[in-house]
Amino acid sequence: MEPYQIQAGDIGFAHTHGFVGRLIRFGEMLKGKFGSEWNHEFVVSKFENGEWWIIQATFEGVIETPLELVAPGGHYITLPPPPECDRAKVLEFAYAELGAKYSILSDIAIGIDMLTWNWVPALMNSYKKTWNCSGLTNECLRFAGWLHEYVNIYTVTPQMGFNAVTSGQ
């Protein structure tokens, strides 16, 4: 079997070694999800000048950057979107969000959600256009035709996104 060939419209998951990445994986562990590997999500956007590029939500906002910069010292994986997704729509949504601000409040909401019981409502920053990495990537998939039943797109962690996409649901 040949290794998977990356394509524009793929989605990716990264395991980084920075403070925020470790914090996200630690929060997943506290919630009882041992073995969480992924702490960042992104969309593969194009192949240009001999390298793959991605669209991702970072502290700088929603940006396009070379794939090789996604996980310095860590690792990543790219996967095709679920079969019902239209790759062109994944890219259309991702490109439309370039320049949007990053939502640190969404990350705080995820942290609160991980540390509290499910009946505690998560805080959100939905009154303005902002994204975190998993919210952006999973909303791209929803725009492209994949209707996964997340309770709230802003509290989906990268590991939850990976689990949903790879379970075939």
Side-chain angles (χ1 to χ4, degrees):
M1 185 168 163
E2 291 185 36
Y4 179 72
Q5 296 296 314
I6 191 171
Q7 299 178 49
D10 282 353
I11 56 170
F13 302 89
H15 178 105
T16 64
H17 290 290
F19 175 75
V20 174
R22 288 182 177 148
L23 192 61
I24 290 168
R25 290 190 307 276
F26 179 70
E28 290 255 341
M29 185 187 70
L30 289 177
K31 200 70 171 181
K33 297 174 182 149
F34 297 98
S36 293
E37 182 171 1
W38 309 113
N39 60 272
H40 185 63
E41 281 188 67
F42 56 90
V43 173
V44 177
S45 58
K46 65 185 176 186
F47 187 76
E48 183 176 272
N49 298 325
E51 64 185 335
W52 283 102
W53 287 69
I54 62 171
I55 295 174
Q56 62 180 335
T58 70
F59 287 128
E60 300 170 40
V62 179
I63 61 171
E64 191 170 30
T65 186
L67 173 60
E68 69 181 32
L69 301 178
V70 76
H75 58 278
Y76 64 85
I77 185 172
T78 61
L79 302 170
E84 54 270 40
C85 284
D86 178 341
R87 285 177 185 272
K89 290 284 195 183
V90 170
L91 293 168
E92 178 185 342
F93 192 91
Y95 274 109
E97 298 307 308
L98 280 175
K101 293 186 185 321
Y102 185 79
S103 179
I104 190 68
L105 291 179
S106 292
D107 283 347
I108 292 168
I110 291 170
I112 291 170
D113 191 50
M114 286 178 165
L115 297 174
T116 59
W117 296 274
N118 288 337
W119 55 265
V120 175
L123 305 171
M124 291 196 264
N125 189 21
S126 60
Y127 60 89
K128 60 184 177 179
K129 187 176 180 177
T130 61
W131 291 107
N132 61 10
C133 68
S134 53
L136 174 67
T137 303
N138 288 290
E139 192 65 14
C140 286
L141 296 177
R142 184 162 51 181
F143 182 81
W146 188 59
L147 302 176
H148 186 73
E149 293 185 23
Y150 292 121
V151 173
N152 183 328
I153 199 80
Y154 287 99
T155 59
V156 175
T157 65
Q159 186 66 48
M160 290 166 65
F162 177 83
N163 292 348
V165 168
T166 58
S167 72
Q169 296 179 4

